[in-house]
Amino acid sequence: MHVLTIVGARPQFIKAAALSLAIREDGRIEETLLHTGQHYDPALSEVFFDELKIPQPDYMLNVGSASHGTQTGKMLTEIEKVLLQNRPDAVLVYGDTNSTLAGALAAAKLHIRPYYRELQQTASEDERIRFIEPVSTTEIVNRCHDYDAGIYLLDPGNYNQLHALPNKLFAFIQARLGLVISPNPAMAHVVKQYECGIVSEDYSIEAFANAMQQLTLERVNEFKQRSHVAAKELCAGKANTYWLEAAEASIQHSK
């Protein structure tokens, strides 16, 4: 199977760091990586490829800055050329950026199945797995609130991932979920401080499965109550107050 992965913006690089590496290590899937150049500043692009050890792109479009329509149009034209040249079996896109739109549209017009749909089809025979259609960022917490537990395993393959405090962690807390997470130090510190979940002993699948097996209805309800307390502290309003106080103190100190 041949997959064309399309990235172009910072959040997509972080996602590709995990999945592209897994694809290439697995060996059963051939991946071609295309970078649209939507984010092109070294601090927003090259540094992620270097630090996260992402494979260098096979295609670099260098679309640069432009209006949404112009930028997306340039991407669409160039991505179509790559698709026609490579004829992949599936296209993998991330998120909701111009790069995502151009990649998905080019694939759809050439009748190439986006890889997300391929995964859906593969998992359709397992009734335990459900795919939720994408929602806007403003709806993530509300959607998560429909569930009881948030589960997040982050491979510590590099310094940034080892010490990350991802948005997902705070989305789970704001949704008042119980948590099961990998033992990345910063994430583990938050979960242990507020006693709102379980931290696996290590990063192995076995340890993570063991952590999930410790969940009981009673413990989940307890974790959800503690996430409710944590959410009041770990919210944007509270953080903004801290930043405002720090800024005011800095101004007073400079006088």
Side-chain angles (χ1 to χ4, degrees):
M1 181 179 181
H2 180 198
V3 172
L4 175 69
T5 298
I6 298 174
V7 297
R10 180 178 58 182
Q12 296 163 350
F13 305 147
I14 296 172
K15 294 180 176 70
L19 192 50
S20 290
L21 179 60
I23 287 174
R24 298 188 183 213
E25 286 183 345
D26 181 79
R28 291 175 294 178
I29 300 175
E30 176 188 356
E31 182 187 46
T32 298
L33 183 61
L34 182 150
H35 186 339
T36 64
Q38 181 175 343
H39 282 178
Y40 52 86
D41 185 281
L44 295 177
S45 179
E46 291 180 18
V47 66
F48 290 94
F49 280 81
D50 293 340
E51 292 190 7
L52 302 182
K53 297 180 174 59
I54 305 171
Q56 288 301 306
D58 300 288
Y59 294 91
M60 182 67 181
L61 303 187
N62 294 312
V63 296
S65 296
S67 67
H68 287 297
T70 299
Q71 187 183 66
T72 305
K74 289 180 179 178
M75 293 178 189
L76 184 58
T77 299
E78 296 304 316
I79 290 172
E80 184 179 63
K81 294 177 182 177
V82 175
L83 290 174
L84 290 172
Q85 179 180 343
N86 288 268
R87 294 291 181 179
D89 300 299
V91 172
L92 175 59
V93 293
Y94 300 101
D96 57 0
T97 68
N98 290 346
S99 298
T100 311
L101 174 61
L105 184 57
K109 290 297 183 182
L110 294 175
H111 305 290
I112 299 172
R113 182 190 297 270
Y115 192 45
Y116 171 74
R117 300 301 180 190
E118 194 78 24
L119 289 174
Q120 280 186 310
Q121 183 176 358
T122 302
S124 62
E125 297 178 0
D126 192 329
E127 62 182 14
R128 298 171 301 174
I129 301 174
R130 286 193 299 152
F131 284 79
I132 306 300
E133 291 299 320
V135 299
S136 66
T137 53
T138 58
E139 290 297 317
I140 290 175
V141 171
N142 289 336
R143 180 59 66 87
C144 288
H145 191 62
D146 294 337
Y147 300 88
D148 295 306
I151 299 170
Y152 192 55
L153 172 61
L154 182 59
D155 180 13
N158 54 68
Y159 182 89
N160 286 344
Q161 289 180 214
L162 175 63
H163 298 283
L165 269 175
N167 291 337
K168 291 181 182 65
L169 177 73
F170 297 102
F172 290 158
I173 290 175
Q174 291 302 321
R176 278 60 172 177
L177 304 185
L179 279 71
V180 179
I181 64 164
S182 51
N184 308 64
M187 290 200 301
H189 174 75
V190 172
V191 171
K192 290 179 179 179
Q193 178 182 354
Y194 292 97
E195 299 181 328
C196 57
I198 299 173
V199 180
S200 65
E201 292 185 3
D202 55 51
Y203 297 92
S204 67
I205 297 299
E206 292 76 16
F208 209 69
N210 180 61
M212 292 177 62
Q213 289 171 357
Q214 297 177 43
L215 290 176
T216 63
L217 181 60
E218 181 179 339
R219 295 196 76 185
V220 168
N221 287 333
E222 181 180 337
F223 292 149
K224 291 174 69 174
Q225 292 174 10
R226 290 177 176 173
S227 281
H228 178 70
V229 174
K232 297 177 181 179
E233 293 289 328
L234 304 174
C235 64
K238 196 83 170 183
N240 289 342
T241 300
Y242 292 148
W243 282 113
L244 181 60
E245 291 175 352
E248 290 175 345
S250 178
I251 293 172
Q252 292 298 323
H253 179 74
S254 65
K255 290 183 178 180

